[in-house]
Amino acid sequence: MLTPAIIQKFTEIKTPFYYYDLELLKKTLSAAKKEVDKYGFHLHYAFKANCTSEILKTIHTFGLGADCVSGNEVKCAIENGYASEHIVFAGVGKSDDEINYALDQDIFCFNSESLQELEVINELATQKNKIAKIALRLNPNVDAYTHKYITTGLEENKFGINAHELDKVLALLKRLKNLKLTGLHFHIGSQITDLNPFRKLCTKVNEFTTLMEQKGIHLEHINVGGGLGINYKEPDTEAIPDFESYFKIFHEMIKLRKGQELHFELGRALVANCGSLISRVLYIKNGINTNFAILDAGMTELIRPALYQAYHKIENLSSNSDSYKKYDVVGPICESSDCFGKAVDLPETKRGDLIAIRSTGAYGEVMASNYNLREKAHSVF
Ligand code: LLP
């Protein structure tokens, strides 16, 4: 919640900047952890959502592990106090350098996505005389009904190993002596607000674990990824996602074998609502159908609206005018896609007003670029 006292502080800070509410972050983490602990599940934080050190450190105090998708994320996890035995390393294209680095750190496991990658990890592990722990990322072919760019669990997507390749993979694993298969990994997509795809995922997971059991393979852990969505429309009334319903589905549906652990990798659900991008109106310009409110923040600070046509609630923090008008809220970048919202109802808006773009704690700052040689926006906590 952006209270008048917080907004007053904003007036003294150079814009644009990311504002993070660490109290809300802690409340969100407590809510998630309560459900996870209820069932003895294991929760990793998906670093890709936000790698700001203060956020990583706060999350670490709640005892979460790290889900990383690059060597630098693994390094960042270690630098921020995450123990290597709680770090998972996923991604379709891990480079040799990244694999070598993660091998040196003795991480919890590599979530491996292809036959060729398994051969490379084995070869590099052999050179180091190490055994790399592997979870096979399987593609469950479950539609997450989310934006096509963030759907990952369909056979047509580049992610994971498809079911028809499983036998070949298992035969290969028998040959690769420096790999130890410890788990299975799944992730069907992101910003999933209808919980049914997670139910379908559970059914698929059970099919795969039964199959593996029939083949005499013991799995120490199952990782069902992340993807739980948030309410972008109501960042204040529903600031914390419904973790209770989400984790309950897995508790009720996944059939774990004795001693088998269930792991999760949540990103957005933990951090999205604790962040806002704060910007100032540089100019108001009359358009044909609406006016333009031109901000000092653009797609370089937050690319989600341009890339996924994503909705973020936009608020004028300075105006208390009763007269509302429609504005296309745009940035200064030389691209027509540099638009945060079209025909947004805002109170009469003028040059210098502070604008908040809400729910930008996930996939905001981390996806920033310096296109147009823009400076990186700073963070305020
Ligand atoms: N695990 C894996 C293997 C993933 O690929 C992802 C996200 C996660 C976990 C965390 O998913 P989450 O809980 O945050 O939904 N830039 C996009 C989102 C890309 C998500 C990529 N993978 C956006 O702004 O919507």
Side-chain angles (χ1 to χ4, degrees), residues 258-281:
K258 204 166 176 284
Q260 212 168 48
E261 295 177 349
L262 191 59
H263 291 232
F264 293 80
E265 305 165 339
L266 290 179
R268 186 187 322 259
L270 300 174
V271 294
N273 267 333
C274 82
S276 294
L277 174 60
I278 309 295
S279 171
R280 257 179 220 285
V281 177

Side-chain angles (χ1 to χ4, degrees), residues 74-131:
V74 175
K75 190 158 177 264
C76 177
I78 287 168
E79 283 169 1
N80 281 283
Y82 290 74
S84 52
E85 65 265 28
H86 295 142
I87 296 177
V88 298
F89 183 15
V92 284
K94 304 175 189 76
S95 72
D96 293 20
D97 282 350
E98 290 176 312
I99 295 169
N100 273 325
Y101 176 72
L103 283 170
D104 289 340
Q105 304 305 318
D106 296 319
I107 60 166
F108 176 69
C109 82
F110 290 84
N111 292 341
S112 182
E113 309 222 7
S114 68
L115 283 146
Q116 209 166 38
E117 185 197 340
L118 288 169
E119 302 213 45
V120 172
I121 300 176
N122 182 65
E123 189 185 314
L124 298 174
T126 308
Q127 284 166 16
K128 290 180 184 291
N129 207 10
K130 289 199 174 211
I131 305 287

Side-chain angles (χ1 to χ4, degrees), residues 46 48 67 137 150 185 187 190-191 226-227 265-268 304 308 363 367:
K48 62 180 85 64
D67 161 36
R137 177 170 180 177
I150 51 177
H185 175 231
H187 175 73
S190 196
Q191 184 49 18
E265 305 165 339
L266 290 179
R268 186 187 322 259
R304 300 195 71 256
Y308 316 112
Y363 308 110
M367 293 180 78

Side-chain angles (χ1 to χ4, degrees), residues 187-259:
H187 175 73
I188 56 173
S190 196
Q191 184 49 18
I192 302 169
T193 47
D194 166 7
L195 297 180
N196 280 320
F198 293 119
R199 293 192 179 90
K200 287 194 189 136
L201 170 64
C202 289
T203 306
K204 289 286 177 127
V205 170
N206 288 337
E207 284 171 19
F208 278 115
T209 48
T210 305
L211 189 74
M212 297 295 269
E213 197 174 45
Q214 285 163 356
K215 290 178 186 294
I217 297 168
H218 170 72
L219 299 164
E220 293 169 17
H221 78 276
I222 309 295
N223 181 336
V224 288
L228 177 63
I230 63 137
N231 188 341
Y232 279 98
K233 300 250 167 200
E234 302 291 345
D236 293 317
T237 48
E238 202 191 328
I240 300 178
D242 182 2
F243 292 116
E244 189 179 350
S245 305
Y246 171 73
F247 286 110
K248 194 162 174 242
I249 289 175
F250 294 90
H251 166 67
E252 288 179 348
M253 292 191 65
I254 297 261
K255 294 191 194 85
L256 290 176
R257 275 44 179 190
K258 204 166 176 284

